[in-house]
Amino acid sequence: MGELMLEVASAYLSDTDAADVLALLCEEIGEPLEHGLAARRYAVSGDRRALHGTVL
């Protein structure tokens, strides 16, 4: 899921800018925006702490 989020909102975007881009996608797939952003952060960093508090 993180790879999909990264394809839609590239790594160079801030979380705020990525949220604008990912809001529609997350709504369409039935995933909370916060989970989509967490998956994107994990895909960028590889740090599992980015997923803290999310269930993917």
Side-chain angles (χ1 to χ4, degrees):
M1 185 166 140
E3 290 178 12
L4 172 63
M5 297 299 157
L6 253 175
E7 283 184 34
V8 174
S10 298
Y12 67 84
L13 294 175
S14 68
D15 270 0
T16 304
D17 291 337
D20 293 340
V21 175
L22 293 175
L24 262 177
L25 173 63
C26 287
E27 184 178 319
E28 285 187 25
I29 65 173
E31 194 68 37
L33 178 59
E34 289 305 314
H35 291 183
L37 288 170
R40 178 180 168 272
R41 282 191 297 271
Y42 174 64
V44 168
S45 68
D47 188 344
R48 293 189 65 71
R49 292 177 293 183
L51 298 174
H52 181 72
T54 39
V55 177
L56 299 176

Coordinates of all heavy atoms in Angstrom, one line a residue:
M1 N 0.8 -1.2 0.0 CA 0.0 0.0 0.0 C 0.9 1.3 0.0 O 0.5 2.2 -0.6 CB -0.9 0.0 1.2 CG -1.9 1.1 1.2 SD -3.2 0.9 2.3 CE -3.3 2.5 3.0
G2 N 2.0 1.2 0.7 CA 2.9 2.3 0.7 C 3.4 2.7 -0.6 O 3.6 3.9 -1.0
E3 N 3.7 1.7 -1.4 CA 4.2 1.9 -2.8 C 3.2 2.6 -3.6 O 3.5 3.5 -4.4 CB 4.6 0.6 -3.4 CG 5.9 0.0 -2.8 CD 6.3 -1.3 -3.5 OE1 5.7 -1.7 -4.5 OE2 7.1 -2.0 -2.9
L4 N 1.9 2.2 -3.5 CA 0.8 2.9 -4.2 C 0.7 4.4 -3.8 O 0.6 5.3 -4.6 CB -0.5 2.2 -3.9 CG -1.8 2.9 -4.5 CD1 -1.7 3.0 -6.0 CD2 -3.0 2.2 -4.0
M5 N 0.8 4.6 -2.5 CA 0.7 6.0 -2.0 C 1.9 6.8 -2.5 O 1.7 8.0 -2.9 CB 0.7 6.0 -0.5 CG -0.5 5.3 0.2 SD -2.0 6.1 -0.3 CE -3.2 4.8 -0.1
L6 N 3.1 6.2 -2.6 CA 4.2 6.9 -3.1 C 4.1 7.2 -4.6 O 4.6 8.2 -5.1 CB 5.5 6.0 -2.9 CG 6.4 6.5 -1.8 CD1 7.5 5.6 -1.6 CD2 6.9 7.9 -2.0
E7 N 3.5 6.3 -5.4 CA 3.3 6.5 -6.8 C 2.4 7.7 -7.0 O 2.6 8.5 -7.9 CB 2.6 5.3 -7.5 CG 3.6 4.2 -7.7 CD 3.0 3.1 -8.5 OE1 2.1 3.3 -9.3 OE2 3.4 1.9 -8.2
V8 N 1.4 7.9 -6.1 CA 0.4 9.0 -6.3 C 1.0 10.3 -5.7 O 0.8 11.4 -6.3 CB -0.9 8.6 -5.6 CG1 -1.9 9.8 -5.6 CG2 -1.5 7.4 -6.3
A9 N 1.7 10.2 -4.6 CA 2.3 11.4 -3.9 C 3.7 11.1 -3.7 O 4.1 10.5 -2.7 CB 1.5 11.7 -2.6
S10 N 4.6 11.7 -4.6 CA 6.0 11.4 -4.5 C 6.6 11.8 -3.2 O 6.1 12.6 -2.4 CB 6.7 12.2 -5.6 OG 6.2 11.8 -6.9
A11 N 7.8 11.2 -3.0 CA 8.5 11.4 -1.7 C 8.9 12.9 -1.4 O 9.1 13.3 -0.3 CB 9.8 10.5 -1.7
Y12 N 9.1 13.7 -2.5 CA 9.5 15.0 -2.3 C 8.4 15.9 -1.7 O 8.7 17.0 -1.2 CB 10.1 15.6 -3.5 CG 9.1 15.8 -4.6 CD1 8.3 17.0 -4.7 CD2 8.9 14.9 -5.6 CE1 7.3 17.2 -5.7 CE2 8.0 15.1 -6.6 CZ 7.2 16.2 -6.7 OH 6.3 16.4 -7.7
L13 N 7.2 15.4 -1.7 CA 6.0 16.2 -1.2 C 6.0 16.2 0.3 O 6.3 15.1 0.9 CB 4.7 15.7 -1.7 CG 4.4 15.9 -3.2 CD1 3.1 15.2 -3.6 CD2 4.4 17.3 -3.6
S14 N 5.7 17.3 1.0 CA 5.5 17.3 2.4 C 4.2 16.5 2.7 O 3.4 16.2 1.9 CB 5.3 18.7 2.9 OG 4.1 19.2 2.5
D15 N 4.0 16.1 4.0 CA 2.8 15.4 4.4 C 1.6 16.2 4.1 O 0.5 15.7 3.7 CB 2.8 15.0 5.9 CG 3.5 13.7 6.2 OD1 3.9 13.0 5.2 OD2 3.5 13.3 7.3
T16 N 1.6 17.5 4.3 CA 0.5 18.4 4.0 C 0.1 18.3 2.5 O -1.1 18.2 2.2 CB 0.8 19.8 4.4 OG1 1.2 19.8 5.8 CG2 -0.4 20.7 4.2
D17 N 1.1 18.5 1.7 CA 0.8 18.4 0.2 C 0.4 17.0 -0.2 O -0.5 16.9 -1.1 CB 2.1 18.8 -0.6 CG 2.4 20.3 -0.4 OD1 1.5 21.1 -0.1 OD2 3.6 20.7 -0.6
A18 N 1.0 16.0 0.4 CA 0.6 14.6 0.0 C -0.8 14.4 0.5 O -1.6 13.7 -0.2 CB 1.6 13.6 0.7
A19 N -1.2 14.9 1.6 CA -2.6 14.7 2.1 C -3.6 15.2 1.1 O -4.6 14.6 0.8 CB -2.8 15.4 3.4
D20 N -3.3 16.4 0.5 CA -4.2 16.9 -0.5 C -4.3 16.0 -1.7 O -5.4 15.8 -2.2 CB -3.7 18.3 -1.0 CG -3.7 19.4 0.0 OD1 -4.5 19.2 1.0 OD2 -3.0 20.4 -0.1
V21 N -3.2 15.4 -2.1 CA -3.2 14.5 -3.3 C -3.9 13.1 -2.9 O -4.6 12.6 -3.8 CB -1.8 14.3 -3.8 CG1 -1.7 13.3 -4.9 CG2 -1.2 15.6 -4.2
L22 N -3.6 12.6 -1.8 CA -4.1 11.3 -1.4 C -5.5 11.2 -0.9 O -6.1 10.1 -0.8 CB -3.1 10.7 -0.3 CG -1.7 10.4 -0.8 CD1 -0.9 10.0 0.4 CD2 -1.7 9.4 -1.9
A23 N -6.1 12.3 -0.5 CA -7.4 12.3 0.1 C -8.4 11.6 -0.8 O -9.2 10.7 -0.3 CB -7.9 13.7 0.4
L24 N -8.5 11.9 -2.0 CA -9.4 11.2 -2.9 C -9.1 9.7 -3.1 O -10.1 8.9 -3.0 CB -9.4 11.8 -4.3 CG -10.4 12.9 -4.7 CD1 -10.2 13.5 -6.0 CD2 -11.8 12.3 -4.5
L25 N -7.9 9.3 -3.2 CA -7.5 7.9 -3.4 C -7.9 7.2 -2.1 O -8.5 6.1 -2.2 CB -6.0 7.8 -3.6 CG -5.5 6.3 -3.6 CD1 -6.1 5.5 -4.7 CD2 -4.0 6.3 -3.7
C26 N -7.6 7.7 -1.0 CA -7.9 7.0 0.3 C -9.4 6.9 0.4 O -9.9 5.8 0.9 CB -7.3 7.7 1.5 SG -5.5 7.5 1.6
E27 N -10.2 7.9 0.0 CA -11.6 7.8 0.1 C -12.2 6.7 -0.8 O -13.0 5.9 -0.4 CB -12.2 9.1 -0.3 CG -13.7 9.2 -0.1 CD -14.3 10.6 -0.5 OE1 -13.7 11.6 -0.1 OE2 -15.4 10.6 -1.1
E28 N -11.6 6.6 -2.0 CA -12.1 5.6 -3.0 C -11.8 4.2 -2.6 O -12.6 3.3 -2.9 CB -11.5 5.9 -4.4 CG -12.1 7.1 -5.1 CD -11.6 7.3 -6.5 OE1 -11.2 6.3 -7.1 OE2 -11.7 8.4 -7.0
I29 N -10.6 4.0 -1.9 CA -10.3 2.6 -1.5 C -10.8 2.3 -0.1 O -10.6 1.2 0.4 CB -8.8 2.3 -1.7 CG1 -7.9 3.2 -0.7 CG2 -8.4 2.5 -3.1 CD1 -6.5 2.9 -0.7
G30 N -11.4 3.3 0.5 CA -12.0 3.0 1.9 C -10.9 3.0 3.0 O -11.1 2.3 4.0
E31 N -9.9 3.7 2.8 CA -8.8 3.7 3.8 C -8.7 5.1 4.4 O -8.8 6.1 3.7 CB -7.5 3.4 3.1 CG -6.3 3.0 4.0 CD -6.5 1.7 4.7 OE1 -7.0 0.8 4.2 OE2 -6.1 1.7 5.9
P32 N -8.6 5.2 5.7 CA -8.5 6.5 6.3 C -7.2 7.2 5.8 O -6.2 6.6 5.6 CB -8.3 6.2 7.8 CG -8.9 4.9 8.0 CD -8.6 4.1 6.7
L33 N -7.3 8.5 5.6 CA -6.1 9.3 5.1 C -4.9 9.1 6.0 O -3.8 9.0 5.5 CB -6.5 10.8 5.0 CG -5.4 11.7 4.5 CD1 -4.9 11.3 3.1 CD2 -5.9 13.1 4.5
E34 N -5.1 9.1 7.3 CA -3.9 8.9 8.2 C -3.2 7.6 8.0 O -2.0 7.5 8.0 CB -4.4 9.0 9.7 CG -4.8 10.4 10.1 CD -3.7 11.4 9.8 OE1 -2.5 11.2 10.2 OE2 -4.0 12.5 9.3
H35 N -3.9 6.5 7.6 CA -3.3 5.2 7.3 C -2.5 5.3 6.0 O -1.4 4.8 5.9 CB -4.3 4.1 7.3 CG -4.9 3.8 8.6 ND1 -5.8 2.8 8.7 CD2 -4.8 4.3 9.8 CE1 -6.2 2.7 10.0 NE2 -5.6 3.6 10.7
G36 N -3.1 6.0 5.0 CA -2.4 6.2 3.8 C -1.1 7.0 3.9 O -0.1 6.7 3.3
L37 N -1.2 8.0 4.7 CA 0.0 8.8 5.0 C 1.1 8.1 5.7 O 2.3 8.2 5.4 CB -0.4 10.1 5.7 CG -1.1 11.2 4.9 CD1 -1.6 12.3 5.8 CD2 -0.2 11.7 3.8
A38 N 0.6 7.2 6.7 CA 1.6 6.4 7.5 C 2.2 5.4 6.5 O 3.5 5.2 6.6 CB 0.9 5.7 8.6
A39 N 1.5 4.8 5.7 CA 2.0 3.8 4.7 C 3.0 4.5 3.8 O 4.1 3.9 3.5 CB 0.9 3.1 3.9
R40 N 2.7 5.7 3.4 CA 3.6 6.5 2.5 C 4.9 6.8 3.3 O 6.0 6.6 2.7 CB 3.0 7.7 2.0 CG 3.8 8.6 1.2 CD 3.1 9.9 0.8 NE 3.9 10.9 0.2 CZ 4.6 11.8 0.9 NH1 4.4 11.9 2.2 NH2 5.4 12.6 0.3
R41 N 4.8 7.2 4.5 CA 6.0 7.5 5.3 C 6.9 6.3 5.5 O 8.1 6.3 5.4 CB 5.6 8.1 6.7 CG 5.2 9.6 6.6 CD 5.1 10.2 8.0 NE 4.1 9.6 8.8 CZ 2.8 9.9 8.8 NH1 2.4 10.9 8.1 NH2 1.9 9.3 9.6
Y42 N 6.2 5.1 5.7 CA 7.0 3.9 5.9 C 7.7 3.5 4.6 O 8.8 3.1 4.6 CB 6.1 2.8 6.3 CG 6.7 1.4 6.4 CD1 7.8 1.2 7.2 CD2 6.4 0.4 5.5 CE1 8.4 0.0 7.3 CE2 7.0 -0.8 5.6 CZ 8.0 -1.0 6.4 OH 8.7 -2.2 6.5
A43 N 7.0 3.7 3.4 CA 7.6 3.4 2.2 C 8.8 4.3 1.9 O 9.8 3.8 1.3 CB 6.6 3.5 1.0
V44 N 8.8 5.5 2.3 CA 9.9 6.4 2.1 C 11.0 6.1 3.0 O 12.2 6.0 2.6 CB 9.4 7.9 2.4 CG1 10.6 8.8 2.4 CG2 8.5 8.3 1.3
S45 N 10.7 5.8 4.3 CA 11.8 5.7 5.3 C 12.2 4.3 5.6 O 13.4 4.0 6.0 CB 11.4 6.3 6.6 OG 10.3 5.6 7.2
G46 N 11.3 3.3 5.5 CA 11.6 1.9 5.8 C 11.6 1.7 7.3 O 11.9 0.7 7.8
D47 N 11.2 2.8 8.1 CA 11.1 2.7 9.5 C 9.7 2.3 10.0 O 8.8 3.1 9.8 CB 11.5 4.1 10.1 CG 11.7 4.1 11.6 OD1 11.3 3.1 12.3 OD2 12.3 5.1 12.1
R48 N 9.6 1.2 10.6 CA 8.3 0.6 11.0 C 7.6 1.5 12.0 O 6.4 1.4 12.2 CB 8.4 -0.8 11.5 CG 8.9 -1.8 10.4 CD 8.8 -3.2 10.8 NE 7.5 -3.7 11.2 CZ 6.5 -4.0 10.3 NH1 6.7 -3.7 9.0 NH2 5.4 -4.6 10.7
R49 N 8.4 2.4 12.7 CA 7.7 3.3 13.6 C 6.8 4.3 13.0 O 5.9 4.8 13.6 CB 8.8 4.1 14.4 CG 9.6 3.2 15.3 CD 10.7 4.0 16.0 NE 11.7 4.4 15.0 CZ 12.8 5.1 15.3 NH1 13.1 5.4 16.5 NH2 13.6 5.4 14.3
A50 N 6.9 4.4 11.7 CA 6.0 5.3 10.9 C 4.6 4.7 10.9 O 3.6 5.4 10.7 CB 6.5 5.5 9.5
L51 N 4.5 3.4 11.2 CA 3.2 2.7 11.2 C 2.5 2.7 12.5 O 1.5 2.1 12.7 CB 3.3 1.3 10.6 CG 3.8 1.2 9.2 CD1 4.0 -0.2 8.8 CD2 2.8 1.9 8.2
H52 N 3.2 3.2 13.5 CA 2.7 3.2 14.9 C 1.3 3.7 15.0 O 0.9 4.7 14.5 CB 3.6 4.0 15.8 CG 3.1 3.9 17.3 ND1 3.3 2.8 18.0 CD2 2.5 4.8 18.0 CE1 2.8 3.0 19.2 NE2 2.3 4.3 19.3
G53 N 0.4 2.8 15.5 CA -1.0 3.2 15.7 C -1.9 2.9 14.5 O -3.1 3.2 14.6
T54 N -1.3 2.4 13.5 CA -2.1 2.1 12.3 C -2.2 0.6 12.1 O -1.3 -0.2 12.4 CB -1.5 2.7 11.0 OG1 -0.1 2.6 11.0 CG2 -1.9 4.1 10.8
V55 N -3.3 0.1 11.5 CA -3.5 -1.3 11.2 C -3.8 -1.3 9.7 O -4.8 -0.8 9.2 CB -4.7 -1.9 11.9 CG1 -4.9 -3.3 11.5 CG2 -4.5 -1.8 13.4
L56 N -2.8 -1.8 8.9 CA -3.0 -1.9 7.5 C -3.4 -3.2 7.0 O -3.1 -4.2 7.6 CB -1.7 -1.4 6.8 CG -1.2 -0.1 7.1 CD1 0.1 0.2 6.4 CD2 -2.2 1.0 6.6

